C-alpha cells in the first residue's frame, strides 16, 4: 500500500538550508539551477525549488526530458547545477559526438538512485563535480552527501548533513546499535524528518522510534561517518541463505565498457530459493553477449552472486526520475531459469 509521509513546513525549510550548506561556493543571486527533477518528487522541490529560493537562483524548468533539446537548453541557458540523475544519457551523448557543452555545470548532487563510479567519472570529465547523496521522502529528503569541495569517498553517499545524526542498527534486533563497519539498517534523526504517515499510525510507529527514522535501507558507516548505501532491505536477494545486494552486481556490470544501464533482480529457483538475473542495455554502437557479461561478473563476484542469466534489451524501462524500473523488470523476469 502507498504511504504518504507528512512533511511539515519546518522539516522542508530545514532540509532546504541543510542542502544549501553543501553548496558552500554557490553565490546568492548568481546561480542557475537546471530543474530537471519533477516537483512532484520530493527531491525536486528541495534541491531545485526550495534551495533555489534560498539562493535567489534562476530556475531553468524542463518539464520533459529529450536528449537533443536538453543539450540545446544547457548550451543556451548555461545552468550552473543540476540535481537530476541524467548523467548516463548526457555523457553518452557527448561521447557519441553529439553537439553539446556541459562546461557551465560546476556542481551536482546526484540522488534518487545509486550513481556508479564509472558514470560519475565520465560526467566529471565533461563538466564540474558530481557527488552522490542519499535520502528518502520521509526525511524531506536529503540526509547525506559527499562534500562537493572536500574529501569525496567514491562508493559512499557521504556524510550526514548539518543537524542530521545517523546510526546503523541490527537487522534482526533493531534496538541494537552496531559499530563502525557493520552492515545493518540505516537510521537517521534530525529536524527534517516527517511527523508520520498520513492516517496510518501503525506504520508511523514502525518507522519512527524514539525520534529515529528507521529507513528500511541497508548500509554501513566507516570510522569517519561516511555512509555506504548497500541496498533496499526489501530488494535483498537470498541465495542458499546467503545475502546478495543487487547494487554490488550492478556496479560490476556498469564497469563493463559496453554497458549503459544495468539492473539485477532475484528470481525463483527450485534448488537455491532465489538466484540473480541481470538486465542490461548496451551503449549505442557497442556489443557484448550474455556469456561475456557473465564472465565479466565472475572475475569480481563470488559464484553465488554471479547472474545465472543476463538478458540484453534494446531499451530498459526508465522512469521520468532517471531510474531503471526494477519493479517492471522484476515482474517481467519473475520466471526462473528452471
Amino acid at each position: 500500500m502507498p504511504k504518504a509521509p507528512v512533511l511539515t513546513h519546518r522539516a522542508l525549510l530545514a532540509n532546504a538550508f541543510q542542502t544549501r550548506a553543501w553548496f558552500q561556493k554557490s553565490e546568492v543571486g548568481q546561480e542557475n539551477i537546471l530543474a530537471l527533477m519533477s516537483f512532484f518528487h520530493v527531491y525536486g522541490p528541495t534541491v531545485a525549488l526550495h534551495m533555489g529560493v534560498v539562493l535567489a537562483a534562476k530556475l531553468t524548468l524542463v518539464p520533459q526530458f529529450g536528449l537533443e533539446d536538453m543539450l540545446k537548453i544547457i548550451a543556451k541557458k548555461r545552468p550552473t547545477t543540476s540535481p537530476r540523475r541524467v548523467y548516463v544519457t548526457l555523457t553518452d551523448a557527448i561521447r557519441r559526438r553529439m553537439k553539446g557543452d556541459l562546461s557551465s555545470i560546476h556542481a551536482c548532487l546526484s540522488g534518487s538512485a545509486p550513481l556508479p563510479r564509472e558514470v560519475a567519472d565520465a560526467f566529471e570529465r565533461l563538466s564540474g563535480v558530481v557527488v552522490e547523496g542519499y535520502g528518502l521522502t520521509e526525511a524531506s529528503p536529503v540526509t547525506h552527501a559527499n562534500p562537493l569541495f572536500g574529501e569525496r569517498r567514491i562508493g559512499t553517499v557521504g556524510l550526514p548533513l548539518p543537524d542530521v545524526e545517523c546510526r546503523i542498527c541490527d537487522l534482526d534486533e533493531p534496538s541494537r546499535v552496531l559499530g563502525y563497519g557493520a552492515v545493518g539498517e540505516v537510521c537517521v534523526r534530525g529536524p527534517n524528518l516527517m511527523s508520520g504517515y498520513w492516517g496510518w499510525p501503525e506504520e508511523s510507529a514502525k518507522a519512527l522510534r524514539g525520534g529515529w527514522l528507521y529507513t528500511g535501507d541497508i548500509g554501513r558507516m566507516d570510522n569517519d561517518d561516511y555512509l555506504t548505501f548497500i541496498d533496499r532491505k526489501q530488494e535483498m536477494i537470498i541465495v542458499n541463505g546467503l545475502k546478495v545486494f543487487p547494487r554490488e552486481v550492478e556496479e560490476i556490470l556498469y564497469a563493463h565498457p559496453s554497458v549503459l544501464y544495468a539492473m539485477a533482480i532475484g528470481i525463483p529457483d527450485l534448488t537455491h530459493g532465489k538466484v540473480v538475473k541481470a538486465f542490461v542495455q548496451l551503449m549505442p554502437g557497442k556489443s557484448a553477449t550474455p556469456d561475456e557479461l557473465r564472465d565479466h561478473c565472475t572475475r569480481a563476484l563470488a559464484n553465488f552472486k554471479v547472474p545465472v542469466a543476463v538478458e540484453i534489451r534494446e531499451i530498459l524501462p526508465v522512469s521520468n526520475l532517471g531510474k531503471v524500473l526494477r519493479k517492471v523488470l522484476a515482474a517481467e523476469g519473475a520466471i526462473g531459469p528452471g
Side-chain angles (χ1 to χ4, degrees):
M1 291 289 291
K3 292 179 284 191
V6 177
L7 302 178
T8 63
H9 287 100
R10 178 178 186 267
L12 292 166
L13 183 65
N15 207 226
F17 277 95
Q18 288 169 319
T19 308
R20 189 266 177 268
W22 234 242
F23 289 80
Q24 55 187 327
K25 294 185 180 181
S26 296
E27 299 181 41
V28 174
Q30 301 299 314
E31 303 301 324
N32 180 353
I33 300 175
L34 186 65
L36 278 162
M37 181 68 83
S38 304
F39 290 162
F40 63 75
H41 184 282
V42 69
Y43 189 60
T46 293
V47 185
L49 182 60
H50 299 162
M51 193 176 73
V53 172
V54 171
L55 282 169
K58 175 182 178 180
L59 295 183
T60 297
L61 303 179
V62 184
Q64 183 91 22
F65 178 78
L67 181 56
E68 292 189 12
D69 289 340
M70 181 56 49
L71 291 171
K72 290 177 183 177
I73 289 170
I74 293 173
K76 182 179 179 180
K77 301 294 185 180
R78 308 294 292 167
T80 58
T81 183
S82 171
R84 187 179 171 184
R85 187 179 176 269
V86 292
Y87 311 114
V88 172
T89 308
L90 288 175
T91 52
D92 181 59
I94 302 297
R95 274 200 299 255
R96 288 188 285 125
R97 298 182 180 175
M98 291 182 69
K99 189 175 181 181
D101 180 4
L102 308 181
S103 61
S104 66
I105 302 175
H106 59 67
C108 297
L109 177 58
S110 175
S112 84
L115 179 69
R117 178 173 185 168
E118 290 71 23
V119 175
D121 290 345
F123 186 80
E124 287 188 10
R125 285 194 289 270
L126 301 169
S127 63
V129 176
V130 56
V131 298
E132 187 169 3
Y134 165 81
L136 63 167
T137 304
E138 289 86 341
S140 299
V142 189
T143 66
H144 289 72
N146 268 282
L148 278 163
F149 307 105
E151 182 186 355
R152 291 180 292 154
R153 296 192 180 175
I154 301 297
T156 78
V157 293
L159 296 164
L161 266 59
D163 293 328
V164 172
E165 299 173 73
C166 181
R167 68 186 187 188
I168 305 296
C169 292
D170 189 272
L171 291 170
D172 301 315
E173 190 181 336
S175 61
R176 188 163 74 92
V177 180
L178 303 178
Y180 289 121
V183 174
E185 184 169 0
V186 178
C187 301
V188 293
R189 180 166 68 178
N192 50 314
L193 298 189
M194 67 172 183
S195 57
Y197 293 114
W198 179 260
W200 207 335
E202 299 86 1
E203 288 298 313
S204 299
K206 288 180 186 177
L208 294 169
R209 306 177 215 171
W212 290 87
L213 172 66
Y214 284 70
T215 65
D217 292 331
I218 299 172
R220 66 173 176 268
M221 281 198 302
D222 66 19
N223 292 347
D224 297 317
D225 291 334
Y226 281 78
L227 175 68
T228 297
F229 171 83
I230 296 177
D231 232 310
R232 307 290 182 193
K233 198 172 177 181
Q234 67 268 29
E235 290 168 0
M236 187 168 57
I237 305 166
I238 306 297
V239 180
N240 278 342
L242 301 172
K243 297 173 182 175
V244 181
F245 300 108
R247 184 179 180 180
E248 60 183 329
V249 180
E250 292 156 8
E251 289 280 357
I252 299 304
L253 287 167
Y254 272 112
H256 191 282
S258 294
V259 172
L260 181 64
Y261 286 116
M263 178 64 69
I265 64 168
I267 57 174
D269 182 83
L270 294 176
T271 304
H272 306 290
K274 279 194 174 182
V275 289
V276 181
K277 177 178 180 178
F279 295 86
V280 167
Q281 178 179 332
L282 300 177
M283 292 184 180
K286 298 284 188 176
S287 63
T289 66
D291 286 343
E292 286 175 16
L293 294 174
R294 288 191 73 254
D295 289 343
H296 171 75
C297 290
T298 60
R299 292 193 285 270
L301 295 170
N303 285 339
F304 70 94
K305 297 180 182 181
V306 175
V308 299
V310 176
E311 184 175 328
I312 299 175
R313 293 193 176 185
E314 186 176 341
I315 297 177
L316 291 185
V318 179
S319 74
N320 62 353
L321 305 178
K323 292 194 276 188
V324 180
L325 296 171
R326 188 187 303 274
K327 288 184 179 179
V328 173
L329 293 172
E332 295 175 357
I335 300 175

